[in-house]
Every structure is written in structure tokens, then in C-alpha cells.
Amino acid sequence: SYFNLFLVLVPLSAISHHLNWDAGLRFAFSFLAIVPLAKLLGESTEQLSMKLGESFGGLLNASFGNAVEIIVGVAALIQGELRIVQTSLLGSILTNLLLVLGMSFISGQAASLEGEFRETAAQTSSSLMTMACLTLVIPAAYHSAKEANHPPSNKRVDDAINVLSSLTNNGKPPAPGGESEAGLLVISRFTSVLLLLVYIAYLYFQLGSHVELFTKKKQSPDGEEIEEEEEEPSMSMIAATVSLLAVTIITSFCADYFVASIEETAEKYHIPKPFIGVILLPLASNVSESVTAVWMAAKGKMDLSIGVAVGSSIQIAVFVIPLLVLVGWGIHRPLTLYFSDFETVSLFVSVLLVNLLVQDGKSNYMEGVM
């Protein structure tokens, strides 16, 4: 694969970081090095999923497809880049829901005029995504309400009080959020625990109690089950597992180098941090999921394609974001579930659109365009 040519940038990323080369070079090398690593993660995961079945395979694909987001998120969290954490995760959700799912619907036309998938499983997934989206609306509403009830004339006094209080808080600066700061942290951390419990219940629902909803075979118009051709894996379980672990470790180093170069690159080349988080990072880290979902859709495996695209978004919203909020709590980084109003509305509209498109259990290229 031509993507493997980019692997030469992995050692260049490490060399440029330790020799303190120009920020732009460090940023470019580490960013481009993540692309082939993300693809290798996807390939190793796909080999494992062939052994484990379509339902568990889709879950595994989505899980390790999000390994890059978790690694980059933890690295950014440790370095205090809270906005990079939030924007990169939001960008990943939007990329999967809009770009990857849309491309899958379009490529599905190669297999048949109208793609079909299990609507009950898809609706369950989209409903869970809606619930996760609503948990981001609550902190935004709380913040707006608190700021609206807070007299503007007192903000300078509050800023002075915050600065003074930081001097007695072991030298740690106060968390962002103004008057609503303390409440946002409490709401976010409590909600994160609940979301993780919901995610555990969803895993049991998908892999245990209602597994037939996700594994039921397609039927012909005559009511007979359609047998689908199964691909043979080209790697053994041990080889795929070792490859998965090795690539994950290497990716963690490249992600750390990438995050370390963001601040200087953004200032020197006037690149907005939200653009890096929402656009660039998801494009690099979602390579494996995009290729897998589109390729499976082209083969007529719409259930697996939707499982990767929507399943990945669910994992980020219900598992990765809450996990990073709790990790931030543990390392004293005030990461919250509060996103800006524009970001929250964008996510809500995207989730609403996907809900409408998967209701009938069928897809076509026009729905992919939308």
C-alpha cells in the first residue's frame, strides 16, 4: 500500500522532536506519521475481527479505530491542551457521522441499487447517540443560564477573586467557565460516570442479551437466509494481536510529539487550534475507519459499515469523552462536557439527520450525499 511509504516519517517525527527542529516540520512529520499508523491499526483490527465474527468485529474495529483519539486526547490532556481534546473528539464524531457514513451510503451503490441493514440495531445505536448528544446540551444550557443570571458589572471583581484564589490553590490556575466553573465540573464528572455505565450496558446488549439483533442473517424475498461469503484472514490471531499492540505503542509516541508541536505551530503559522482539532486530527486518525467502512459498504456489508461508522461515534461520545473527563479529574485537568453553542448545535443537527436516515433500514447514494 502507498500509505506505508509514510512510515518513513515515524523515525523523522522522533528525530525532529528530540533535535528541536522547526515547529512546522515537527508538526508535519508527526501528523503525517499518524496516517499510516492509523491504517495499520485498522488492518490489524480487521484481521482480528474476521476471527471474532461480524458483530464483535465491528465493535473491535470501532474500538481500536478510536485508539488514536484516546492516545492523542490523553497526551493533549497531560499537556493542558483542553480545547484540542474537545475539538478533536467533536471532529471525530462529525467525521464519522457525516463523512464516513455518507461515503459508505454512496459506495454501497456498487453492491446494489439500494443497501439494506438491520434497522432495529441501527436505530438502537442512533438513539444512544442522541442520548449522548443531549448530555452535552445540558452543560451548555447550565453555563448559559449561570452567565445570564450573573451581573456583568461584577465580572471584573470575580476575575480578581479567581486570581487571588489561585494563589492559595497550590499555584494551579482556576478552570475555565467563569461563574459556572464549579457547577460544570460537578455536572460533567457525574454525567461521565453515568455515560460509562450506559456504555457497559450497551456492550452487554450488543454482545450478550440481544446479540441476535446484530447478527441476524439477511433474508431473500422468499424468506430464505442469504449466505454471505466470508473472507479468510491473512494473519493469525497472535500476529494480529502483536501488531495491534506494537502499532498502538508507536502511535502514542507520535501523538505525544504531535501535541507538543501544536502550540508553537499555531502561533508561528497562525493556524487556529479549532481547525487543527476539528479538521486535521480527525482526518488523520480516522483513516482506518473510513477505509474499512467504505470498503465494507462497497461489498454490500452495510451492517458492518454502519457498525464501524456509527459505532465509532458512539464510543467517542459515550466512552472516550467521559473517560478523558475522569482522567482529567485524576490528574487535575478541568476538562468538562461544556462545548461552545455552535459546536453543540452542529453535533445535535448531525445526530438528528443520521437518526432520520437510518429509520427505514435502507440506504442509497442520495442519503449519502445528504
Side-chain angles (χ1 to χ4, degrees):
S1 173
Y2 290 110
F3 273 108
N4 292 335
L5 295 175
F6 286 98
L7 288 173
V8 70
L9 296 172
V10 174
L12 281 176
S13 172
I15 292 170
S16 62
H17 175 78
H18 291 290
L19 295 182
N20 199 27
W21 288 1
D22 179 73
L25 287 175
R26 286 184 279 127
F27 180 87
F29 286 157
S30 54
F31 173 78
L32 293 174
I34 290 175
V35 175
L37 291 172
K39 187 174 183 299
L40 288 176
L41 269 175
E43 290 176 351
S44 301
T45 306
E46 187 177 358
Q47 293 297 314
L48 277 177
S49 67
M50 290 180 187
K51 293 276 189 179
L52 300 172
E54 187 170 313
S55 178
F56 195 79
L59 174 66
L60 193 67
N61 237 312
S63 300
F64 277 93
N66 290 329
V68 176
E69 280 89 345
I70 297 175
I71 293 168
V72 172
V74 171
L77 199 58
I78 291 173
Q79 298 187 33
E81 296 284 356
L82 303 185
R83 282 299 291 160
I84 290 294
V85 176
Q86 289 186 319
T87 54
S88 65
L89 295 176
L90 177 69
S92 293
I93 294 175
L94 295 179
T95 299
N96 284 309
L97 287 181
L98 301 180
L99 179 64
V100 177
L101 190 61
M103 289 174 62
S104 298
F105 282 176
I106 294 173
S107 66
Q109 297 289 282
S112 62
L113 190 62
E114 192 173 53
E116 294 185 358
F117 50 88
R118 303 179 187 97
E119 65 271 17
T120 305
Q123 287 173 9
T124 301
S125 299
S126 58
S127 298
L128 185 59
M129 192 65 223
T130 303
M131 185 214 68
C133 181
L134 291 176
T135 62
L136 300 183
V137 174
I138 294 173
Y142 174 81
H143 174 77
S144 298
K146 290 292 288 185
E147 292 300 306
N149 294 330
H150 187 56
S153 57
N154 292 337
K155 285 193 173 183
R156 290 186 179 180
V157 176
D158 288 340
D159 290 340
I161 292 174
N162 284 335
V163 171
L164 290 174
S165 63
S166 68
L167 298 178
T168 59
N169 190 27
N170 298 325
K172 298 172 186 173
E179 180 71 12
S180 61
E181 168 196 327
L184 281 176
L185 287 173
V186 172
I187 291 173
S188 298
R189 290 163 180 172
F190 179 73
T191 304
S192 295
V193 173
L194 292 181
L195 283 175
L196 289 176
L197 293 176
V198 170
Y199 182 66
I200 293 172
Y202 172 69
L203 290 182
Y204 177 70
F205 178 84
Q206 182 179 2
L207 303 175
S209 63
H210 289 69
V211 66
E212 67 279 356
L213 294 178
F214 299 86
T215 58
K216 186 169 56 179
K217 292 184 177 181
K218 296 179 181 177
Q219 294 183 340
S220 65
D222 300 328
E224 297 179 357
E225 291 187 348
I226 300 175
E227 292 292 333
E228 298 180 355
E229 294 184 7
E230 294 186 1
E231 294 183 35
E232 288 295 323
S234 57
M235 298 174 68
S236 66
M237 285 278 287
I238 297 177
T241 304
V242 171
S243 172
L244 203 60
L245 293 175
V247 175
T248 301
I249 293 171
I250 296 172
T251 304
S252 67
F253 284 101
C254 289
D256 191 54
Y257 302 150
F258 174 75
V259 173
S261 66
I262 287 177
E263 185 75 35
E264 190 177 345
T265 303
E267 291 181 3
K268 186 174 182 179
Y269 296 96
H270 308 290
I271 303 175
K273 284 187 180 181
F275 177 79
I276 295 174
V278 176
I279 306 296
L280 294 183
L281 260 177
L283 286 178
S285 59
N286 287 332
V287 169
S288 61
E289 294 154 71
S290 304
V291 173
T292 300
V294 173
W295 183 246
M296 290 299 109
K299 292 181 177 181
K301 297 183 178 181
M302 287 303 301
D303 289 302
L304 182 56
S305 179
I306 291 177
V308 172
V310 179
S312 178
S313 299
I314 289 174
Q315 284 201 330
I316 294 174
V318 189
F319 175 68
V320 179
I321 294 179
L323 177 66
L324 290 178
V325 169
L326 297 180
V327 169
W329 187 10
I331 62 175
H332 307 293
R333 293 287 188 271
L335 182 66
T336 69
L337 296 178
Y338 167 64
F339 290 76
S340 71
D341 294 341
F342 177 76
E343 293 167 350
T344 304
V345 171
S346 299
L347 178 61
F348 185 80
V349 171
S350 301
V351 172
L352 179 63
L353 178 61
V354 171
N355 267 326
L356 295 174
L357 294 179
V358 302
Q359 279 183 350
D360 59 353
K362 298 179 181 179
S363 66
N364 53 59
Y365 77 91
M366 195 61 216
E367 290 184 344
V369 171
M370 288 190 290

